[in-house]
Amino acid sequence: MQAEIAQSVAGALKVALLGATQKNPDAPSNQNVDAYTAYLQGRFHEQLYTAADLRKAIGFYDTAIRSDPHYALAYAALSKSWWALGDITGEDVGEANRKARAAAERAVAEDPNSAEGHAALGQILVSVDRNEKGAEAEYRRALELAPASAEPKIGLATVIADFGQIEEAVELLQQAVRLDPLSTNAHFDLARLLTSLGRYDEAVRSARKAIQLQPGGAGTWQVLALVEAKRGDGEAALRAAMQESDPDWRAYAIALAQQARGDTKAADEALNALIAGHSNDMSFQIATVYAFRGDAEKTFEWLEQGYHKHDPGVLSILPNAFTRELRSDQPDLPFPQQIRVLPNADPRPTPPRP
């Protein structure tokens, strides 16, 4: 299907790239049709967000860069895919992050006015360096460069939500959806934050829109399970959880759903299975399940583990629908100060950039 799509638009791309009086902002610097086609194919697979598709996306972005070594947009997309691959697989995370950082920095070096490059760098700053202020600056720069683009709004919404500015983040995501109704990420994030605000009907609509756009994408069904579990419909949560395509997210969604159903035996079994299979790469998700169960001690224990393992999910303590109810008496503290009030936490400084 991808090959047919690429062939069918090749002629139109040549006109758009080579014949237009004003340059396509997404086009490679050398107007290479092959580079642009590879970039578009990479974008398709990146949006599916499974490990296999992210690897395919990386391959297509590498192809685009070989065709045009100065293609800033391809470097930015490559950065995001490398980071996402390390994040969802938990394998060779250090190397994936190194490649993601190098690609983001190369994107900005090739084009200092690349909104996508600054957004990619913002992703590294927030997720790898835990430098949310620096990330916010990069996302705001990206938004300044591309005010009509949805992506910088999505990234900025994530950062300010981590500071507890959830209402403002929701507004940004709603703007992003209006700009790009086909953005799965915008609908996905909007569903999560609306759940935190208790706006469950709206959250379900956003979750279902994400599913409609990417029914087989990793994590799409689990966010619907999360919403249904939080509003107390355990059966609906379980139905959604069982349709999740990614086995890791499915295990997490089932643990939430079984807890919402009120079946203690099934809930314990699901949580134990989640811990057995994912204690190294889903510390934050395990913490949220314990928070849902009302076990503050275990919640903080797993949050502390996630902090030491640099689990990026720990950044989301404030906007998460479950952990925000068990936060400390200082709820307005941003990360990492928020983590420093956890029992026995080791308050390490932000790691230096290599």
Side-chain angles (χ1 to χ4, degrees), residues 2-345:
Q2 290 304 299
E4 291 175 1
I5 291 173
Q7 291 172 3
S8 68
V9 301
L13 288 175
K14 288 180 181 179
V15 174
L17 294 175
L18 305 178
T21 57
Q22 183 164 349
K23 181 182 175 182
N24 182 340
D26 290 348
S29 63
N30 62 6
Q31 303 293 285
N32 186 292
V33 173
D34 291 335
Y36 189 42
T37 302
Y39 167 76
L40 292 177
Q41 290 175 301
R43 286 287 292 164
F44 173 85
H45 287 286
E46 180 190 337
Q47 290 292 320
L48 293 176
Y49 214 75
T50 67
D53 280 292
L54 287 169
R55 291 188 178 98
K56 290 178 182 178
I58 288 169
F60 280 118
Y61 293 143
D62 282 338
T63 297
I65 289 168
R66 282 195 297 272
S67 296
D68 178 10
H70 303 291
Y71 198 174
L73 194 61
Y75 283 111
L78 179 64
S79 172
K80 290 183 292 182
S81 291
W82 268 119
W83 176 84
L85 183 63
D87 178 49
I88 68 172
T89 64
E91 301 171 0
D92 299 322
V93 175
E95 180 66 8
N97 287 342
R98 185 191 67 78
K99 291 179 177 179
R101 187 192 303 278
E105 291 176 344
R106 180 66 181 269
V108 175
E110 291 293 344
D111 182 2
N113 293 321
S114 167
E116 292 81 2
H118 286 283
L121 193 53
Q123 176 72 77
I124 299 301
L125 289 172
V126 67
S127 301
V128 180
D129 295 349
R130 295 179 172 180
N131 179 359
E132 289 201 305
K133 285 298 185 183
E136 181 181 3
E138 291 295 337
Y139 282 125
R140 289 197 183 281
R141 176 58 177 154
L143 194 56
E144 178 184 332
L145 290 166
S149 174
E151 187 169 337
K153 294 180 185 293
I154 297 170
L156 181 58
T158 299
V159 171
I160 66 173
D162 290 345
F163 285 120
Q165 300 166 232
I166 303 176
E167 293 278 5
E168 295 92 332
V170 165
E171 184 177 344
L172 278 170
L173 289 170
Q174 289 172 334
Q175 293 174 19
V177 167
R178 288 194 290 271
L179 288 168
D180 184 2
L182 301 182
S183 172
T184 305
N185 289 340
H187 291 288
F188 184 98
D189 289 346
L190 190 54
R192 290 190 304 106
L193 295 185
L194 288 169
T195 304
S196 294
L197 295 176
R199 294 159 59 177
Y200 301 126
D201 290 343
E202 294 174 78
V204 166
R205 287 195 292 272
S206 292
R208 290 197 176 281
K209 185 61 178 179
I211 291 169
Q212 180 185 354
L213 291 169
Q214 295 290 354
T220 50
W221 281 97
Q222 68 87 21
V223 77
L224 178 59
L226 182 153
V227 180
E228 297 289 13
K230 189 67 177 70
R231 73 169 172 180
D233 192 339
E235 297 303 329
L238 187 59
R239 287 194 298 271
M242 297 306 294
Q243 295 184 75
E244 172 57 49
S245 64
D246 182 88
D248 300 341
W249 285 120
R250 185 165 60 248
Y252 171 54
I254 290 174
L256 291 174
Q258 295 291 19
Q259 182 63 33
R261 290 181 68 240
D263 185 334
T264 302
K265 183 175 182 294
D268 288 345
E269 289 176 352
L271 177 56
N272 290 336
L274 180 65
I275 293 172
H278 300 287
S279 61
N280 289 325
D281 61 347
M282 297 187 80
S283 299
F284 180 71
Q285 284 72 29
I286 294 170
T288 65
V289 177
Y290 274 115
F292 192 27
R293 293 163 70 103
D295 190 334
E297 183 177 349
K298 283 290 187 180
T299 300
F300 289 130
E301 177 184 317
W302 281 97
L303 286 175
E304 184 180 347
Q305 289 191 39
Y307 174 66
H308 290 310
K309 293 175 182 177
H310 285 213
D311 185 334
V314 177
L315 295 166
S316 303
I317 287 177
L318 293 181
N320 181 268
F322 303 107
T323 56
R324 73 191 303 257
E325 296 179 357
L326 291 175
R327 62 195 185 207
S328 74
D329 292 334
Q330 303 178 67
D332 295 328
L333 286 177
F335 186 91
Q337 286 89 346
Q338 178 68 27
I339 300 301
R340 290 176 182 172
V341 303
L342 298 179
N344 304 316

